[in-house]
Amino acid sequence: MDFLIKFAQTHESFRRAEIEALAVIEGVDLQVIQYTNECPFCIVRVPSIEDAQRLVRRSILAQSIHELWGSGASLDELHQSVQVRTGHLWPDYESPSFKFLFDSFQGTRTSAQRLSIINSFSYLPFEGPIRMSGPDNVFTVFEQWQCDSVPLGIENPDMVHFGRFVASTSRDAVLKFDLKKRGYISTTSMDSELALVTANIALAAPGKLFYDPFVGTGSFPLACAHFGAMGWGSDIDGRSIRGEGGRKSLEGNFVQYGLKSCLGDMFAADLTNTPIKVGARIWDGIVCDPPYGVREGLRVLGLRDPEKTPWLIEKGIKKSGLPDYVPPKKPYSFLAMLDDILDFASRTLVEGGRLSFWMPTANDEEQEIPVPSHPCLELVTVCVQDFNKWSRRLITYQRLPDDRVSKESLEMYETRRGVVHTGTTADELNPFRRGYFKKFETID
């Protein structure tokens, strides 16, 4: 059966990735028939109406799904399509109440034109009452117009679809988790919409363990917990986890949303100094937004030169257990951080588990940071949020089964990882930071 998904006109490059991930979660056999980022209407094929309902029930970027009754480049073609495709369905809709709606993208109709088009469907044997509030069935005419059709005076759309409403989505969760309503946030907290989309693309679901190694105030574990997963996390600075305590803490956020039962544990650590046993395949998913190192250089736990500061080692031994102890940190390479994220994921994800993390890059091809790779991880999708001269990408990988990992590729990767990223200043260790403060101007 063919259906039309109406997407929200936002985060266009994320929409298909999310709906395909939801098909995996729900076990729905999905075929995308027609879709472009430039249009919010997506034609898909799934086996049944029940599958269509399951496909979108937890979607954040979709608004609704409709049983597709017909499509055409003109109104006459649309009517012909409806008559050919759905004549056998008409008896089921003779007596129930109904109403008609219009959804025009990049175009508009006058009230008189809309009424005329609605009347053109008079061949449908609908004898039930028309109810504008709470009808049994809602039929929508979807019109796709050329860009700037109104100022250009274009009279007709490029494509017209006709569908019956089947189900709405979980887009209202965006407002529920809105940062403005959250008790504890920071300047780097990921907005609710993108956090929820990330959780969907990473396949968060009940019975799964999800981990954020840069947890901050907990936006990603919260989003994963909303979909039933158990959220875990760590941060190099434990103060961001503890906050002021009570409602003003990461735990307080889980309590606010009634998700305390989905909170695993949070602890202070970084990927290079973690209590998690490397090689323990425990995570079903890893989701994170690593620091970009713009406000200040990237850091990891440790000392720049332990031999010159032995007293700091002694201080750490004596005071590391105190709640107000802040461990020393040393400079960290941005590229090394990317490698460490992928390596950690390859060693701790279960087979088929996903890593979804955000990575900034310049839009200029000469300064663009390439998408990192790992022989144990298969690239699933790359979604882009553009900010003029730079953008950030949500990169998603899937852990390959061990028997599909090439030993030769793995050995070559380990050799490459042995190369030390040199530099002493924040700019030397972070090509994105260097380009950011130079406004990504191309160097001749």
Side-chain angles (χ1 to χ4, degrees):
M1 297 179 67
D2 290 352
F3 295 84
L4 183 147
I5 298 175
K6 167 65 187 301
F7 283 112
Q9 193 59 10
T10 184
H11 302 306
E12 291 82 358
S13 72
F14 294 73
R15 299 186 304 201
R16 178 166 180 167
E18 186 200 35
I19 210 69
E20 289 179 338
L22 293 179
V24 175
I25 294 172
E26 300 289 351
V28 173
D29 183 12
L30 170 70
Q31 182 181 357
V32 178
I33 305 299
Q34 179 183 322
Y35 175 74
T36 66
N37 286 346
E38 289 70 37
C39 178
F41 306 142
C42 174
I43 308 299
V44 301
R45 183 169 295 156
V46 298
S48 67
I49 290 176
E50 292 74 19
D51 287 321
Q53 293 170 335
R54 289 191 292 115
L55 177 65
V56 303
R57 64 182 176 183
R58 50 178 279 181
S59 175
I60 301 301
L61 296 180
Q63 294 179 331
S64 56
I65 190 166
H66 307 256
E67 183 183 19
L68 187 64
W69 278 36
S71 299
S74 66
L75 194 57
D76 289 339
E77 287 187 13
L78 173 65
H79 288 313
Q80 183 179 2
S81 176
V82 171
Q83 292 170 4
V84 170
R85 294 170 58 126
T86 65
H88 64 289
L89 299 176
W90 296 354
D92 295 334
Y93 300 95
E94 287 183 1
S95 57
S97 61
F98 68 96
K99 75 174 180 179
F100 273 67
L101 295 177
F102 261 81
D103 194 325
S104 298
F105 174 64
Q106 299 183 151
T108 185
R109 295 280 195 184
T110 65
S111 297
Q113 289 173 328
R114 293 185 179 189
L115 181 58
S116 175
I117 292 173
I118 291 174
N119 288 334
S120 70
F121 286 90
S122 59
Y123 57 85
L124 294 174
F126 296 166
E127 299 178 359
I130 298 174
R131 290 180 182 167
M132 301 311 293
S133 178
D136 295 318
N137 294 291
V138 177
F139 295 91
T140 305
V141 178
F142 297 94
E143 296 185 328
Q144 181 179 339
W145 293 71
Q146 179 181 323
C147 184
D148 293 329
S149 61
V150 175
L152 292 175
I154 296 174
E155 297 183 355
N156 295 298
D158 293 336
M159 182 61 67
V160 190
H161 307 284
F162 183 66
R164 182 183 68 87
F165 175 82
V166 171
S168 57
T169 68
S170 293
R171 187 156 175 76
D172 57 349
V174 175
L175 295 177
K176 175 183 177 181
F177 288 91
D178 189 351
L179 293 182
K180 295 178 181 178
K181 303 175 183 177
R182 191 172 301 173
Y184 177 56
I185 63 171
S186 71
T187 56
T188 58
S189 295
M190 178 64 70
D191 77 85
S192 61
E193 185 172 32
L194 289 176
L196 290 163
V197 171
T198 301
N200 268 339
I201 293 177
L203 310 183
K208 291 186 176 183
L209 302 181
F210 269 66
Y211 173 63
D212 181 355
F214 308 93
V215 72
T217 60
S219 291
F220 288 117
L222 273 173
C224 295
H226 172 68
F227 295 120
M230 182 72 71
W232 296 69
S234 64
D235 200 281
I236 192 172
D237 190 345
R239 292 173 297 181
S240 66
I241 298 173
R242 297 189 295 269
E244 299 175 14
R247 295 177 58 188
K248 297 290 185 178
S249 66
L250 187 153
E251 181 179 350
N253 285 339
F254 274 79
V255 173
Q256 175 183 343
Y257 295 109
L259 295 172
K260 181 67 180 299
S261 61
C262 290
L263 174 61
D265 199 3
M266 304 289 160
F267 51 91
D270 65 42
L271 284 180
T272 63
N273 298 275
T274 176
I276 298 172
K277 183 180 179 181
V278 176
R281 308 280 284 278
I282 57 174
W283 305 125
D284 296 287
I286 298 173
V287 288
C288 60
D289 183 23
Y292 305 160
V294 172
R295 293 182 178 86
E296 59 182 15
L298 295 172
R299 297 284 190 272
V300 289
L301 297 175
L303 300 173
R304 187 193 300 264
D305 192 341
E307 293 183 359
K308 292 183 178 180
T309 55
W311 61 89
L312 287 177
I313 298 176
E314 188 67 24
K315 179 181 178 182
I317 294 173
K318 293 180 179 179
K319 298 187 176 182
S320 60
L322 299 178
D324 59 346
Y325 175 70
V326 179
K329 303 175 183 64
K330 63 182 180 180
Y332 191 29
S333 163
F334 179 84
L335 298 178
M337 178 184 69
L338 298 181
D339 279 343
D340 287 338
I341 293 172
L342 267 64
D343 186 65
F344 177 83
S346 72
R347 297 174 185 271
T348 59
L349 281 174
V350 300
E351 290 186 0
R354 288 194 174 187
L355 162 67
S356 291
F357 79 98
W358 290 82
M359 189 190 90
T361 184
N363 291 335
D364 182 85
E365 291 184 2
E366 295 183 7
Q367 302 181 64
E368 182 180 3
I369 300 173
V371 174
S373 62
H374 192 286
C376 294
L377 302 174
E378 179 181 34
L379 183 65
V380 175
T381 186
V382 178
C383 306
V384 181
Q385 184 182 25
D386 193 11
F387 297 108
N388 193 10
K389 289 190 176 183
W390 70 281
S391 60
R392 60 178 180 178
R393 299 178 289 202
L394 176 62
I395 309 173
T396 301
Y397 306 83
Q398 184 164 290
R399 181 57 164 89
L400 291 170
D402 290 335
D403 58 8
R404 287 184 55 193
V405 177
S406 167
K407 292 183 179 180
E408 293 77 12
S409 298
L410 193 56
E411 290 174 357
M412 291 176 61
Y413 178 81
E414 293 296 341
T415 301
R416 182 182 67 79
R417 268 180 57 82
V419 177
V420 178
H421 298 282
T422 59
T424 56
T425 67
D427 281 353
E428 290 173 345
L429 291 168
N430 190 339
F432 175 75
R433 185 180 194 271
R434 184 168 61 249
Y436 183 89
F437 284 112
K438 292 182 179 179
K439 300 181 179 179
F440 300 106
E441 295 176 356
T442 303
I443 300 175
D444 298 326

